[in-house]
Amino acid sequence: MVKTIAMHVPVADRAFLDLAHFDMDPQDCFGEIIDNSIAAKITRKKCHINIYLIGNSSSKTVDVFIADDGIGMSFDDLRQALILGGESNFKHGLHEYGFGLKNALATLTQKDPKAWSIWTTTDHNNYFRVDGPLRQTTECQLNAELPKFIMQAIQDKDIPPVSTMIFFRTTKSFLRGLTHKGGQALNVNKFGQYLLEHLGVKYREYLKPVGNKIFYEMNIYTLDYNERKRKQQKLLPVYAISVPFENGYQKYSDEDFGKIILKNGQKIGWEIQLGTRNKQLVNKLIKIGVPNKNGEIKTEPAKYYYQGDIPRQGIDLEIHGRTIATSMINPPWKIAKHNSLNDFVGILKLKDVPQGCLALKTNKTNFDKNDDDWETVFEKISGNKKLAPIKNKTKKSESILRDLVVNETNDVNSLTDNSIKAEAEYSIGNTGIKADVVISHKDDDKNVEIIECKVGKPRALDLAQLRLYCDEIVLHENKQPTKAIILCDEVDQKIRNLANEINDLPRPKFRTTNKEAEPYNFIIADAKNWWERAKTEAP
């Protein structure tokens, strides 16, 4: 006779350590911890989240403290928070799986699993404290004391009384992931500036004022100890970072096209904003520090988001008030990323989503592709022609400027002796390379002029591209470029100097004569008048 008996399957301590191997960036780890602070906000009371980054130039590690003044945790709450997959005792859209805090701590302290601690209280007096590493059985201190510098900050009223605080020691090499390409070694002040950009985007909806009130306040304090052990503390308030739209972005919602209906019949509200990025806004998107006596706040360019390139084109996705993905093109649309969309930005906001609907990845780093309801969401967007991605205005303007040059050159030529001909998008041999404009001469089929039309300031890359066009015409068409011109409305002296240097570089030899080509005569030309006319004719 077949019998069934219960089998207890314990979690090995190694399982906690293996959580460090989930694919999480530093900003994702910070987000998991801060999500808990936001979810622990006391009703009708402002939530304060204070982050301390402490390091020095000679150390390879950074000490981080994240403190909030929320509801805190009882002993049972704390135990539940440390269980893998444990269900939170209080409900919030940012609480879903019960893995986030453990994943974050394991990832942040991968080099030293013991280097974390949690303090929490429900009365601001009797603190529980648990230290790493994560394991099945751990010790909890009762009546624990907060670190002295935190106690002093509370006494000085720099921060409010702490309900829950998390400490971890992580490496500078891991925190370099806060930069787009894991850039060079940075001090804690630079880490703080990158972190406030991530948090300003991730929590923009929470950080925005509601009327004249702010319900969530987030600050980063950086303490940098130099070689002489003197510390310099800087305060970096985290401000909401909005999508840097040009004027006149498009806005649609469920009021225009109906709500999204999930497979369980649940109706979801939504709003989408689509536009192109304002480069001037991007250059002053990040607010640094507190207002001066005139109420002005120093600004700096965004370093990570909205950079106008292929990796960072596309829209943000917001759910439960939290930005969980950025730079999205496919999905929601079934198209590939392309240079023509480099300036395309936007945001899709999903509203009043019940907990358990529209699943996210375990660490809220993106949507869960295994949840079919996401396909319903994206089909709502991609199936509507009015919600199509917006191609770069820059590309349209450059093409119009190119056509103006070609058309007016040929118009003038038709009134004279028809000795020259201007061609747009000129194909060079069989290379597949196209130059914006090539001007040839009727009585001289061996010499040509090449023109590239650019918006704003030209870059060194534009010169390198133009040089390539010249070389290819010599090698594949046996023609001599007599002028290589970049038309732009902002002449940069550094680029002009670089053009002069390129004029002196060696050139390829003609295949027919084995003689080196003559200088290409690179010119950076002011096309402001052309550009103004192009803008007036832009659709």
Side-chain angles (χ1 to χ4, degrees):
M1 181 176 178
V2 177
K3 292 184 178 181
T4 302
I5 61 173
M7 176 186 291
H8 175 61
V9 182
V11 177
D13 285 344
R14 175 176 173 172
F16 292 95
L17 298 178
D18 286 345
L19 292 173
H21 302 295
F22 278 64
D23 185 17
M24 294 182 73
D25 292 326
Q27 58 269 27
D28 300 327
C29 295
F30 277 89
E32 285 292 353
I33 296 171
I34 292 170
D35 284 351
N36 293 335
S37 294
I38 287 177
K41 177 185 178 296
I42 298 174
T43 305
R44 294 188 294 276
K45 182 181 177 183
K46 186 177 182 179
C47 173
H48 298 84
I49 301 170
N50 292 289
I51 303 165
Y52 286 84
L53 305 179
I54 305 173
N56 63 63
S57 57
S58 60
S59 174
K60 294 182 179 180
T61 61
V62 175
D63 286 356
V64 181
F65 295 81
I66 302 177
D68 69 60
D69 62 346
I71 62 176
M73 289 184 282
S74 66
F75 180 86
D76 287 339
D77 292 334
L78 178 58
R79 182 178 60 84
Q80 189 71 14
L82 294 175
I83 296 174
L84 279 181
E87 186 176 354
S88 173
N89 290 333
F90 49 98
K91 304 297 183 182
H92 192 281
L94 296 182
H95 279 163
E96 193 163 10
Y97 300 116
F99 286 91
L101 174 64
K102 282 73 74 175
N103 278 153
L105 290 176
T107 303
L108 289 160
T109 63
Q110 186 173 2
K111 298 293 184 182
D112 183 5
K114 296 180 292 185
W116 63 263
S117 301
I118 300 174
W119 292 261
T120 190
T121 180
T122 56
D123 59 12
H124 296 148
N125 289 315
N126 302 307
Y127 285 90
F128 300 108
R129 174 176 172 173
V130 174
D131 299 324
L134 285 165
R135 53 197 170 192
Q136 286 189 84
T137 303
T138 190
E139 294 180 350
C140 178
Q141 298 179 29
L142 308 180
N143 300 317
E145 293 186 354
L146 295 173
K148 290 182 180 179
F149 83 97
I150 292 292
M151 294 296 293
Q152 188 64 49
I154 295 172
Q155 183 178 331
D156 295 340
K157 297 185 178 180
D158 292 335
I159 65 174
V162 171
S163 298
T164 299
M165 184 172 72
I166 294 177
F167 155 77
F168 56 86
R169 178 173 293 130
T170 191
T171 62
K172 288 182 178 178
S173 60
F174 181 68
L175 289 182
R176 286 195 200 106
L178 292 169
T179 70
H180 182 57
K181 296 182 179 179
Q184 61 188 6
L186 303 171
N187 59 37
V188 292
N189 294 323
K190 290 295 184 182
F191 284 137
Q193 290 185 25
Y194 275 102
L195 180 59
L196 73 84
E197 182 173 346
H198 287 292
L199 300 182
V201 170
K202 195 180 291 288
Y203 297 105
R204 62 164 67 98
E205 204 63 33
Y206 289 99
L207 295 169
K208 286 178 181 178
V210 179
N212 60 353
K213 292 184 178 181
I214 295 177
F215 291 97
Y216 295 87
E217 180 180 298
M218 202 178 297
N219 292 305
I220 299 172
Y221 294 87
T222 63
L223 283 77
D224 191 12
Y225 290 82
N226 62 24
E227 297 295 341
R228 297 179 182 177
K229 301 301 180 183
R230 295 174 182 171
K231 66 179 181 180
Q232 295 179 326
Q233 178 171 309
K234 291 187 177 180
L235 168 60
L236 299 171
V238 181
Y239 300 97
I241 297 176
S242 299
V243 179
F245 286 115
E246 287 275 13
N247 293 331
Y249 65 85
Q250 302 172 12
K251 181 178 177 180
Y252 299 98
S253 71
D254 53 85
E255 294 184 0
D256 300 297
F257 301 114
K259 292 192 173 185
I260 298 167
I261 304 176
L262 306 183
K263 59 187 177 184
N264 64 358
Q266 184 74 46
K267 295 182 179 180
I268 302 297
W270 60 277
E271 177 186 302
I272 193 168
Q273 300 171 15
L274 305 171
T276 55
R277 70 187 187 110
N278 183 314
K279 297 176 185 177
Q280 286 70 37
L281 281 181
V282 172
N283 287 334
K284 54 182 181 180
L285 194 62
I286 311 303
K287 296 178 180 178
I288 304 292
V290 297
N292 61 21
K293 61 182 180 181
N294 297 321
E296 300 167 337
I297 303 174
K298 177 185 175 183
T299 61
E300 290 189 0
K303 298 180 178 68
Y304 193 96
Y305 299 97
Y306 315 118
Q307 296 300 295
D309 53 19
I310 286 180
R312 289 169 285 192
Q313 63 181 229
I315 66 170
D316 301 346
L317 175 61
E318 180 185 294
I319 184 172
H320 306 305
R322 155 89 131 80
T323 302
I324 60 110
T326 60
S327 308
M328 293 179 62
I329 292 289
N330 185 357
W333 298 277
K334 298 175 182 178
I335 60 173
K337 289 194 170 188
H338 188 270
N339 282 328
S340 64
L341 297 171
N342 279 351
D343 284 331
F344 173 51
V345 292
I347 183 169
L348 172 60
K349 300 180 181 182
L350 301 178
K351 301 180 177 182
D352 302 322
V353 179
Q355 193 167 13
C357 292
L358 295 175
L360 306 178
K361 284 188 175 181
T362 303
N363 301 304
K364 295 191 284 293
T365 55
N366 213 320
F367 62 92
D368 186 351
K369 296 179 182 179
N370 293 317
D371 186 339
D372 293 338
D373 279 334
W374 281 108
E375 187 62 32
T376 303
V377 171
F378 297 141
E379 184 61 36
K380 187 77 172 183
I381 306 304
S382 63
N384 191 325
K385 292 183 178 179
K386 288 189 176 181
L387 307 183
I390 299 172
K391 291 188 176 181
N392 301 345
K393 289 184 178 179
T394 297
K395 291 297 180 184
K396 291 182 179 178
S397 298
E398 285 179 354
S399 65
I400 291 173
L401 176 59
R402 176 200 66 207
D403 292 342
L404 281 171
V405 172
V406 169
N407 293 337
E408 293 205 13
T409 300
N410 289 334
D411 286 347
V412 171
N413 181 55
S414 66
L415 297 176
T416 54
D417 57 0
N418 289 313
S419 61
I420 61 175
K421 179 184 178 182
E423 296 181 62
E425 293 194 286
Y426 181 90
S427 295
I428 301 173
N430 296 318
T431 62
I433 297 172
K434 292 184 179 182
D436 278 352
V437 181
V438 170
I439 297 177
S440 56
H441 298 261
K442 179 179 179 181
D443 300 327
D444 184 2
D445 61 356
K446 295 298 182 184
N447 294 321
V448 293
E449 298 174 14
I450 305 175
I451 301 174
E452 282 294 294
C453 301
K454 298 296 174 186
V455 174
K457 292 182 180 180
R459 304 168 296 170
L461 180 63
D462 298 326
L463 271 176
Q465 179 176 278
L466 187 53
R467 165 74 195 222
L468 171 66
Y469 294 167
C470 291
D471 290 346
E472 294 298 320
I473 280 184
V474 169
L475 293 171
H476 294 278
E477 297 197 2
N478 200 39
K479 294 179 181 180
Q480 169 68 53
T482 57
K483 290 181 182 178
I485 303 169
I486 292 182
L487 282 178
C488 57
D489 59 332
E490 295 182 48
V491 177
D492 187 295
Q493 190 58 45
K494 290 182 180 179
I495 297 296
R496 183 167 275 173
N497 294 339
L498 182 59
N500 292 333
E501 293 177 17
I502 292 178
N503 279 330
D504 297 329
L505 293 177
R507 295 160 297 283
K509 295 179 180 180
F510 290 104
R511 292 179 177 176
T512 53
T513 63
N514 203 35
K515 290 183 178 180
E516 183 181 1
E518 296 295 324
Y520 297 147
N521 296 317
F522 283 88
I523 299 170
I524 309 299
D526 188 346
K528 189 172 183 179
N529 291 335
W530 287 97
W531 171 224
E532 289 299 325
R533 290 156 68 186
K535 285 199 292 188
T536 59
E537 296 186 25

